[in-house]
């Protein structure tokens, strides 16, 4: 081999660089272990420890030093499925941005276009493009985007009424992009101050979506609130209970006519409650008891209101109260300035209640602790604007008030300080209250008892804990989002589940590595040892590259690494089999090795096989997201490192062995006759295989219509929960119980063992608010807590923590828009992969018949795998869902099927261009038979690796591995019995005759 010295130099250099890059991962893991030991299970203490040493040197190489932050930035990061944590995709509401840019116009064409864009947005289509299409259809050219009522107004000076629609579209797209970038900066600042180690936030193209990954984060509800808060801070004057008392009484009377009464007895209310007094006066009852049930509004109250609070209500009743307030006959009761009243709720809190009165639990032991929300009426106006906007706040910090309770201190600018002094002065004079409202939620509504507040410094007090005040201060400092942020996709994985995934991944990798290495030695003898050395170097290079590019290692990524072991020996198998053929033809060992590494030998097959594999891997990388992109990354890197080590490292070792006159062999006494002397009539059996495969295709297609496919939430949208119980439970019972509660069918399937269920629901999947997510979590807890002991709280059930063994161990949510995008991406990914490979093979083999045969085989394989999943998903002991993992498996199957087919086709092309005598079919059969050793050896190696992953890889990827396992087996069959016959049948009879004449009329040498 020419330039052997240069190859050695680069190999050694590459190895040293890989070791250097990996060393940061080892150091970072050591420091993390020290932090865990120091924190002893306290997450906050662990984060604080790592923050404190962020700038300290933890790695000394003698000539240079690295701080912990620098080391952690260079390590291989683990994905959430391995590390545990929370992954969120936020959709910045482009619709809200457009409304703001249009100055909240009432133009009917504009608003109808927004409505139609919501309905008609296609998968993978950005909302703004859907809006432009809808606007063009709705306006029909009669209304322009540059209309003064739409975008050509004084608040958007860049647009003037002389502009064409195309010019306006360019400006609006740029403005929307700026808004998304602004949201990205705000979220980045919030997350940076949240206190998780190595957060990752990135914009996803130009879709308005932002990916947020928080490794190690465990408080699910808190994270959602932090991310979704638009931070729209406002200060409102409020109505007092006595000012709204007549309205509430009148509302109660109106509701008596529509609401059904439930009669119960209750004691009269104390006189210190204004609304209670009104009720007592109205009832005029001489009895010592009043009838509850005749007062629909009042009966919904958990406790009577006071001051600015109109009443305390249970969270489950807030929707009903909102519906009451929207009734035309109720709204008509508001007169004068009260017509503009804005009714809002407080954040949830707990109080102790007895007979609809708030009491001190230490003095009233019979009281009941309940969760409530407070109802407020804000003093609105015709423009629905607050007394003061929160834009005047320049800084915020978490503090403690005079009572030692957590609070948030705000600092305002000079204008804000002046307006705040005037507003608080008015409240002091009128003995009123000022509501501090964030995103339409009242955080507190204090009165002013000591005169106007000067200096622009004030506190937000309320029923806070320390983490809430930290988050609120963080949100106010970071600023507000330009539009609402909806959670369209969500994944949460507990640390215990992540550790299980790591253990399963390591086990499958080690067993796979051991078996592949053992097989190579058993089959190829001494040269097998050289292949194993190349495999070890390959893994070193692979991990070195992953570390150097800052890749994130996921569970499918580990699967990709294990698969790389199979592909790493694939090229060696092709080279070794070619060398064995050359030795049988009488060449010397040195000549055989030289030919096997030549283009005429194995290189053309290796190139074509790996190019097709790279193309499908690239498609997977482009269309995949999250863990699937991690799988594609490791697969692609593995292909290139495998090629380098197989072609160069193995050759250096073989030539070194030959130079030392070692007894180099490519067989052992056990394997020397394996897979040799094949003489099977493949083309003679094509009628049988055509019939068999046609039956499989027909049955599969029929099953698609009858059974369908088990589409996962990736394709349909929905919420998925992996829940562990203390004892075995019946999935059907849980499903029936939850179906009654969740207003729709809830699927509950056993996941691994009967103590663990996978629960899927579409309940409120269109509602992207954090409140809807919390509601679902609480409904799950309330209906499943009977399966647990009394010590399990809601927080323990929902949130992650080290050592967690019961409750929700992972959860995910996919919104309808994302599901539509994933489905569209998957469809085009499969078609695109097949189309790209078709074109490549047509160019490489210079005949379309080769491409047709390969595509026929691949289409056969894809339908076969889909058919197996359609027929078996209802009774298999593991999940067989159509999701992103399944599509990744299909694309991998396409790659490997092409790999096998290309090896066979390459030999057919070689024989058809050679001098072998016989009929066309005999020549083709002979060429295919000579590939059997390579084909079966490669396939058996891959099947062995996949079986190991299927057994040891863990429940979460079992269906994914099963699809590839079936695909590899079927792909081996199709490359021999489908691709080859289709190739031969598509070549014309005249070409058959020409080839036969060329072979049989030429004198053999």
């Amino acid at each position: 081999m020419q330039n052997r010295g240069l190859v050695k130099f680069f190999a050694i250099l590459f190895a040293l660089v890989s070791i250097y890059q990996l060393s940061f991962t080892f150091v970072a893991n050591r420091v993390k272990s020290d932090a865990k030991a120091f924190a002893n299970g306290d997450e906050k203490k662990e984060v604080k420890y790592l923050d404190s040493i962020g700038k300290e040197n933890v790695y000394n190489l003698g000539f240079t030093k690295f701080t912990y932050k620098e080391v952690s930035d260079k390590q291989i990061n683990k994905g959430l499925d391995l590390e545990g944590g929370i992954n969120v995709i936020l959709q910045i509401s482009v619709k809200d941005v457009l409304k703001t840019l249009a100055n909240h116009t009432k133009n009917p064409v504009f608003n109808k276009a927004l409505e139609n864009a919501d309905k008609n947005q296609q998968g993978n289509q950005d909302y703004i493009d859907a809006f432009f299409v809808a606007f063009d259809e709705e306006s029909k050219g009669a209304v322009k985007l540059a209309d003064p009522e739409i975008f050509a107004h004084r608040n958007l000076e860049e647009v003037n009424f002389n502009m064409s629609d195309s010019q306006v579209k360019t400006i609006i797209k740029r403005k929307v992009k700026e808004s998304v970038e602004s949201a990205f900066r705000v979220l980045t600042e919030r997350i940076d101050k949240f206190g998780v180690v190595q957060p990752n936030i990135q914009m996803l193209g130009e879709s308005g979506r932002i990916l947020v990954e928080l490794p190690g984060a465990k408080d699910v509800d808190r994270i959602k609130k932090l991310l979704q808060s638009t931070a729209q801070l406002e200060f409102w004057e409020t109505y007092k209970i006595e000012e709204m008392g007549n309205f509430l009484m009148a509302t109660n009377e109106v509701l008596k006519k529509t609401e059904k009464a439930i009669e119960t007895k209750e004691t009269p209310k104390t006189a210190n409650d204004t609304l209670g007094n009104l009720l007592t006066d109205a009832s005029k009852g001489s009895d010592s008891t009043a009838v509850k049930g005749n007062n629909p509004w009042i009966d919904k109250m958990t406790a009577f209101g006071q001051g600015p609070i109109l009443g305390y209500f249970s969270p489950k009743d807030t929707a009903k109260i909102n519906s009451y307030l929207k009734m035309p006959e109720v709204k008509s009761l508001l007169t004068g300035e009260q017509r503009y009243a804005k009714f809002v709720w407080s954040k949830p809190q707990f109080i102790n209640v007895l007979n609809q009165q708030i009491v001190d639990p230490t003095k009233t032991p019979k009281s009941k602790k309940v969760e409530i929300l407070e109802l407020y009426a804000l003093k609105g106006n015709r423009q629905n604007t607050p007394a003061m906007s929160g834009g005047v706040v320049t800084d915020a910090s978490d503090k403690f008030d005079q009572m030692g309770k957590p609070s948030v201190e705000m600092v305002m600018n000079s204008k804000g300080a002046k307006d705040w002094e005037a507003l608080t002065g008015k409240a002091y004079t009128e003995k009123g209250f000022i509501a501090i409202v964030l995103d339409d939620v009242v955080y507190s509504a204090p009165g002013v008892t000591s005169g106007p507040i000067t200096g622009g410094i004030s506190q937000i007090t309320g029923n806070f804990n320390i983490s809430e005040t930290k988050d609120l201060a963080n949100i106010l400092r970071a600023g507000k989002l330009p539009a609402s942020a909806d959670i369209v996709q969500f994944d949460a994985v507990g640390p215990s589940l992540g550790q299980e995934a790591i253990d399963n991944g390591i086990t499958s990798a080690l067993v796979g590595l051991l078996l592949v290495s053992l097989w190579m030695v058993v089959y190829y003898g001494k040269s097998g040892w050289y292949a194993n050395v190349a495999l070890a170097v390959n893994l070193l290079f692979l991990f070195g590259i992953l570390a150097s590019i800052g890749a994130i290692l996921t569970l499918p990524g580990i699967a990709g690494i294990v698969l790389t072991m199979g592909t790493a020996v694939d090229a060696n198998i092709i080279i070794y089999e070619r060398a064995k053929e050359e030795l049988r033809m009488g060449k010397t060992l040195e000549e055989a090795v030289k030919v096997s590494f030549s283009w005429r030998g194995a290189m053309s097959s290796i190139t074509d096989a790996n190019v097709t594999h790279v193309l499908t891997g690239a498609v997977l990388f482009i269309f995949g997201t999250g863990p699937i992109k991690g799988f594609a990354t490791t697969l692609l890197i593995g292909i290139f490192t495998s090629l380098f080590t197989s072609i160069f490292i193995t050759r250096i070792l073989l030539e070194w062995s030959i130079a030392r006159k070692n007894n180099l062999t490519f067989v052992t006494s056990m394997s020397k006759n394996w897979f040799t002397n094949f003489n099977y009539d493949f083309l003679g059996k094509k009628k049988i295989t055509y019939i068999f495969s046609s039956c499989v295709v027909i049955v599969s297609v029929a099953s698609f219509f009858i059974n369908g496919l088990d589409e996962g939430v990736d394709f349909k949208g929905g919420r998925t929960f992996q829940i562990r119980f203390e004892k075995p439970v019946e999935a059907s019972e849980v499903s029936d119980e939850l179906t009654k509660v969740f207003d729709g069918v809830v699927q509950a399937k056993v996941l691994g063992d009967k103590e663990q269920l996978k629960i899927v629901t579409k309940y409120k999947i269109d509602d992207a608010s954090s409140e809807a997510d919390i509601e679902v979590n609480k409904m799950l807890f309330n209906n499943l807590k009977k399966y647990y002991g009394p010590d399990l709280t809601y927080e323990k059930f929902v949130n992650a923590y080290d050592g967690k063994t019961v409750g929700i161990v992972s959860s995910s949510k996919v919104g309808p828009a994302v599901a539509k995008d994933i489905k569209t991406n998957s469809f085009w990914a499969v078609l695109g992969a097949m189309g790209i490979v078709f074109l490549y093979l047509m160019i490489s083999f210079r005949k379309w018949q080769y491409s047709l045969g390969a595509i026929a085989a691949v289409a056969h394989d894809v339908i076969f795998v889909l058919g197996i999943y359609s027929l078996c998903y209802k009774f298999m002991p593991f999940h067989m869902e159509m999701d992103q993992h399944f599509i990744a498996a299909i694309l991998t199957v396409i790659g490997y099927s092409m790999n096998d087919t290309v090896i066979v086709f390459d030999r057919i092309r070689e024989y058809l261009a050679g001098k072998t005598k016989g009929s066309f079919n005999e020549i083709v059969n002979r060429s295919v038979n000579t590939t059997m050793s390579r084909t079966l050896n490669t396939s058996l190696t891959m099947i062995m690796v996949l079986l190991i992953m299927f057994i040891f890889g863990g429940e979460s990827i079992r269906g994914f591995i099963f699809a590839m396992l079936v695909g590899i087996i079927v792909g081996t069959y199709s490359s021999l019995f489908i691709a080859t016959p289709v190739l031969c049948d598509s070549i014309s009879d005249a070409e058959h005759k020409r080839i036969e004449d060329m072979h049989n009329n030429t004198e053999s040498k």
Side-chain angles (χ1 to χ4, degrees):
M1 180 177 65
Q2 294 179 346
N3 300 319
R4 185 186 293 111
L6 190 61
V7 172
K8 284 182 181 179
F9 171 77
F10 278 111
I12 293 171
L13 181 63
F14 201 179
L16 291 174
V17 170
S18 297
I19 293 170
Y20 169 76
Q21 291 289 350
L22 288 172
S23 67
F24 293 101
T25 300
F26 292 120
V27 173
N29 287 337
R30 175 177 56 79
V31 175
K32 287 179 182 177
S33 297
D34 293 342
K36 282 188 179 294
F38 172 78
N40 196 25
D42 187 333
E43 180 193 354
K44 292 179 181 177
K45 198 173 179 181
E46 181 183 338
V47 172
K48 189 175 181 180
Y49 176 90
L50 293 174
D51 284 343
S52 67
I53 64 169
K55 296 181 180 180
E56 291 184 14
N57 292 324
V58 296
Y59 189 24
N60 187 352
L61 289 174
F63 59 89
T64 186
K65 298 177 182 178
F66 297 93
T67 64
Y68 173 68
K69 186 179 186 311
E70 291 170 333
V71 166
S72 61
D73 288 341
K74 293 176 181 290
Q75 69 172 324
I76 297 178
N77 295 312
K78 294 192 287 285
L80 298 186
D81 52 357
L82 299 178
E83 179 82 5
I86 294 172
N87 176 306
V88 176
I89 294 181
L90 292 162
Q91 175 72 65
I92 302 302
S93 176
V94 176
K95 182 177 182 179
D96 286 354
V97 175
L98 290 173
K99 284 181 177 180
T100 301
L101 292 173
N103 207 23
H104 298 280
T105 180
K106 303 295 183 183
N107 184 281
V109 173
F110 175 84
N111 287 292
K112 184 65 175 176
L114 289 177
E115 182 184 332
N116 290 342
D118 283 332
K119 294 178 184 176
N120 303 326
Q121 185 180 2
Q122 301 298 311
N124 250 1
Q125 184 184 33
D126 291 343
Y127 182 87
I128 191 166
D129 292 326
F131 165 75
F132 288 147
V133 170
F135 185 88
D136 291 342
E137 291 175 352
E138 187 67 23
S139 67
K140 296 181 175 59
V143 180
K144 295 175 62 180
L145 290 169
D147 189 289
E149 281 191 5
I150 303 179
F151 291 123
H153 52 82
R154 63 182 180 181
N155 293 337
L156 190 60
E157 296 178 352
E158 294 176 62
V159 177
N160 63 68
F161 63 88
N162 292 320
M163 287 182 171
S164 65
D165 278 359
S166 61
Q167 290 174 311
V168 177
K169 287 177 182 178
T170 301
I171 294 172
I172 298 303
K173 277 194 171 186
R174 177 166 53 80
K175 287 290 185 182
V176 168
K177 184 179 178 182
E178 289 172 358
S179 294
V180 174
E181 289 172 347
S182 172
F184 176 79
R185 288 191 295 272
V186 169
L187 288 170
T188 300
E189 192 168 344
R190 289 184 190 178
I191 291 163
D192 285 344
K193 293 172 182 172
F194 182 70
V196 295
V197 181
Q198 293 178 310
N200 173 41
I201 176 169
Q202 54 184 287
M203 289 189 289
L204 301 178
E206 298 183 357
S207 62
R209 289 177 185 162
I210 297 174
L211 169 69
V212 178
E213 291 181 324
L214 303 173
K218 298 172 176 128
D219 193 333
V220 175
D221 293 344
R222 182 185 173 198
I223 292 289
K224 289 179 178 178
K225 288 179 180 178
L226 174 78
L227 294 177
Q228 287 194 275
S229 173
T230 57
Q232 187 71 39
L233 180 66
E234 297 170 335
F235 304 95
W236 293 77
E237 296 177 277
T238 70
Y239 286 105
K240 291 177 280 190
I241 182 72
E242 55 265 29
E243 293 175 304
M244 300 297 290
N246 290 334
F247 163 71
L248 297 177
M249 283 300 304
T251 298
N252 192 66
E253 293 301 315
V254 168
L255 294 176
K256 283 182 180 180
K257 301 174 184 177
T258 59
E259 298 296 299
K260 184 178 179 180
I262 302 173
E263 292 195 0
T264 58
K265 296 286 184 178
E266 70 165 7
T267 57
K269 306 298 172 282
T270 56
N272 63 1
D273 184 6
T274 305
L275 198 54
N277 289 335
L278 288 170
L279 280 174
T280 304
D281 293 340
S283 64
K284 300 291 183 184
S286 58
D287 199 346
S288 62
T289 61
V291 177
K292 183 179 180 182
N294 291 335
N295 301 297
W297 176 276
I298 308 303
D299 293 343
K300 283 279 189 291
M301 286 185 181
T302 303
F304 287 146
Q306 53 192 338
I309 303 168
L310 304 188
Y312 300 83
F313 296 86
S314 170
K316 65 182 178 62
D317 291 328
T318 55
K320 190 67 175 176
I321 296 299
N322 288 337
S323 68
Y324 288 163
L325 293 171
K326 291 177 182 177
M327 291 171 59
E329 51 266 53
V330 170
K331 290 171 72 174
S332 65
L333 299 174
L334 292 165
T335 59
E337 291 298 313
Q338 289 186 359
R339 287 177 301 162
Y340 306 118
K342 181 177 180 179
F343 294 95
V344 294
W345 297 96
S346 71
K347 70 185 189 70
Q349 58 183 288
F350 287 89
I351 60 173
N352 277 74
V353 177
L354 181 65
N355 298 328
Q356 289 184 281
Q357 298 291 322
I358 300 176
V359 295
D360 184 345
T362 60
K363 298 178 181 178
T364 314
K366 292 184 180 181
S367 64
K368 184 180 180 182
K369 186 177 182 179
V370 292
E371 186 180 21
I372 55 88
L373 281 82
E374 302 161 348
L375 180 65
Y376 292 85
L378 308 181
K379 290 186 177 180
N381 50 43
R382 192 182 298 272
Q383 293 77 32
N384 196 31
T385 56
M388 272 184 67
S389 167
V392 299
V393 175
T394 58
D395 194 16
S397 57
D398 53 300
K399 301 280 186 179
F400 292 93
D401 62 16
Q402 294 177 344
M403 304 296 292
K405 294 181 179 181
S407 65
V408 176
E409 185 175 273
M410 300 178 296
V411 179
M412 301 178 181
N413 59 25
S414 57
K415 182 181 184 304
K418 185 177 179 181
D419 293 343
W420 184 244
E421 183 177 353
L423 184 61
T424 53
K426 181 181 178 184
Y428 173 72
T429 302
E430 298 178 355
K431 293 184 171 52
F433 300 85
I434 300 173
I436 300 171
V437 184
L438 184 71
D439 296 338
D440 284 338
V441 174
V442 176
Y443 275 72
S444 65
V448 182
T449 58
S450 57
I453 300 173
T454 60
I457 298 177
S458 189
Q459 281 189 328
I460 302 176
T461 59
N463 188 24
F464 296 117
N465 58 41
I466 293 175
S467 64
E468 285 177 325
T469 56
K470 286 183 180 295
D471 289 347
L472 181 54
N474 180 3
I475 288 169
L476 294 178
R477 276 196 306 270
K480 68 178 182 179
L481 292 174
S484 61
D486 296 332
I487 294 178
V488 293
Q489 189 170 345
F490 175 85
D491 293 284
V493 180
S496 56
L497 197 64
Q499 187 58 49
E500 287 179 16
I502 292 173
D503 295 340
N504 291 334
I506 291 174
T507 300
S508 62
L510 290 177
V511 175
L513 178 61
L514 180 64
L515 286 181
V516 168
S517 301
L518 184 62
W519 175 258
M520 293 301 289
V521 172
V522 168
Y523 194 81
Y524 290 110
K526 185 173 289 186
S527 57
W529 283 108
Y530 296 146
N532 290 338
V533 171
L535 174 59
V537 175
N538 173 39
L539 292 176
L540 174 64
F541 288 173
L542 173 58
F543 280 106
I545 293 173
L546 289 174
S548 64
I549 65 175
I552 296 175
L553 189 61
T554 61
L555 185 57
I558 291 179
I561 291 170
V562 178
L563 277 175
T564 296
M565 298 176 194
T567 56
V569 298
D570 182 26
N572 283 131
I573 289 172
I574 296 173
I575 292 166
Y576 288 178
E577 291 300 320
R578 186 66 188 215
K580 285 161 66 175
E581 290 175 9
E582 298 299 324
L583 287 171
R584 290 190 199 106
M585 289 190 292
K587 287 189 171 61
T588 65
L589 184 60
E590 187 174 0
E591 290 173 336
V593 169
K594 186 176 181 180
V595 170
S596 64
F597 280 95
S598 68
W599 185 261
R600 186 178 67 83
M603 288 304 105
S604 61
S605 296
I606 291 172
T607 300
D608 286 332
N610 281 280
V611 167
T612 55
H613 208 171
V614 166
L615 289 173
T616 53
V619 170
L620 185 58
F621 181 84
I622 292 167
F623 288 97
T625 58
I628 302 306
K629 195 178 285 287
F631 171 73
T633 300
T634 54
L635 202 61
L636 287 169
I637 294 172
I639 291 170
F640 289 107
T641 57
S642 297
L643 282 174
F644 179 82
T645 55
S646 299
I647 294 172
F648 295 108
I649 303 299
T650 304
R651 185 170 185 179
I652 288 174
L653 293 171
L654 291 176
E655 292 182 348
W656 172 81
S657 179
I658 292 170
R660 288 173 60 89
K661 306 296 183 184
N662 289 336
N663 185 24
L664 180 64
T665 61
F666 293 98
V667 294
T668 64
S669 57
M670 184 189 305
S671 66
K672 63 181 179 181
N673 294 320
W674 290 357
F675 306 132
T676 57
N677 300 320
F678 272 95
N679 189 23
Y680 189 79
D681 185 6
F682 290 97
L683 293 179
K685 300 297 187 292
K686 66 180 181 180
K687 288 184 180 179
I688 297 173
T689 57
Y690 277 168
I691 292 170
F692 169 74
S693 293
S694 297
C695 290
V696 168
V697 170
I698 291 169
V699 169
S700 296
V701 173
S703 182
F704 297 158
F705 288 100
I706 298 169
N707 291 330
L709 288 158
D710 186 16
E711 292 190 8
V713 295
D714 282 357
F715 282 10
K716 295 188 300 185
R719 304 172 190 270
T720 304
F721 301 89
Q722 186 174 334
I723 301 178
R724 283 185 181 166
F725 297 84
E726 294 173 346
K727 297 177 181 178
V729 294
E730 286 297 327
S732 57
E733 289 182 12
V734 172
S735 177
D736 292 341
E737 291 170 4
L738 295 179
T739 295
K740 295 174 184 176
V741 177
F742 278 98
D743 191 27
V745 177
V746 175
Q747 294 179 348
K749 301 178 183 178
V750 174
L751 192 64
D753 52 54
K754 284 198 169 185
E755 287 89 1
Q756 185 167 254
L757 296 183
K758 181 178 182 180
I759 294 174
V760 180
T761 175
K762 296 190 75 172
Y763 181 74
K764 285 198 172 181
I765 193 58
D766 292 318
D767 188 342
S769 67
S770 60
E771 288 77 16
D773 296 337
I774 293 171
E775 179 187 348
V776 173
N777 289 341
K778 288 185 176 179
M779 290 170 71
L780 276 176
F781 173 69
N782 291 331
N783 287 278
L784 298 179
K785 63 183 178 182
K786 64 183 179 182
Y787 295 103
Y788 298 93
D791 295 335
L792 185 73
T793 63
Y794 169 76
E795 287 73 22
K796 288 182 178 179
F797 178 77
V798 172
N799 295 327
Y801 54 87
D802 291 330
K804 181 173 183 176
T805 57
V806 295
I808 299 175
V809 292
S810 77
S811 62
S812 66
K813 165 187 164 183
V814 179
V818 173
K820 189 188 294 184
D821 288 354
I822 292 172
K823 204 167 188 176
T824 303
N825 278 344
S826 300
F827 175 78
W828 288 112
V830 174
L831 285 186
M834 294 174 70
I836 290 170
V837 172
F838 179 90
L839 290 173
Y840 173 77
L841 291 180
M842 190 163 65
I843 294 169
S844 178
F845 285 85
R846 294 181 178 84
K847 286 195 175 186
W848 61 267
Q849 289 90 344
Y850 287 96
S851 295
L852 179 64
I855 291 300
V858 167
H860 166 273
D861 299 344
V862 171
I863 293 173
F864 198 109
V865 174
L866 289 172
I868 291 288
Y869 269 62
S870 177
L871 290 165
C872 302
Y873 76 85
K874 292 182 179 178
F875 57 83
M876 276 290 193
F878 53 89
H879 295 298
M880 304 176 73
E881 290 183 347
M882 286 277 289
D883 56 14
Q884 291 189 84
H885 290 80
F886 180 80
I887 296 302
I890 289 293
L891 289 172
T892 307
V893 166
I894 291 174
Y896 281 106
S897 179
M898 289 292 184
N899 193 317
D900 279 344
T901 303
V902 164
I903 290 173
V904 174
F905 280 4
D906 189 76
R907 183 51 62 92
I908 291 174
R909 176 175 60 178
E910 180 184 340
Y911 267 61
L912 290 179
K915 298 177 181 179
T916 304
K917 292 185 180 294
S919 66
F920 181 87
N921 284 3
E922 288 172 346
I923 296 169
V924 171
N925 272 326
R926 202 166 301 163
S927 65
V928 174
N929 276 289
T930 61
T931 68
M932 289 306 293
S933 180
R934 287 186 294 179
T935 299
L936 295 179
N937 213 352
T938 300
S939 297
L940 285 174
T941 305
M942 289 306 308
I943 290 168
M944 183 166 55
V945 169
L946 288 168
L947 274 173
I948 295 303
M949 279 194 288
F950 182 76
I951 296 168
F952 298 105
E955 188 66 36
S956 61
I957 62 169
R958 194 154 284 153
F960 165 60
I961 298 300
F962 182 74
M964 285 196 284
L965 191 57
V966 173
I968 297 300
I969 295 171
V970 176
T972 304
Y973 158 82
S974 67
S975 65
L976 299 172
F977 293 101
I978 302 297
T980 301
V982 169
L983 166 66
C984 295
D985 289 346
S986 61
I987 295 175
S988 66
D989 292 340
E991 182 66 8
H992 282 208
K993 187 173 184 310
R994 187 192 69 78
I995 292 172
E996 289 172 355
D997 290 343
M998 181 183 72
H999 281 255
N1000 297 314
N1001 296 333
T1002 302
E1003 292 290 331
S1004 60
K1005 293 183 180 179

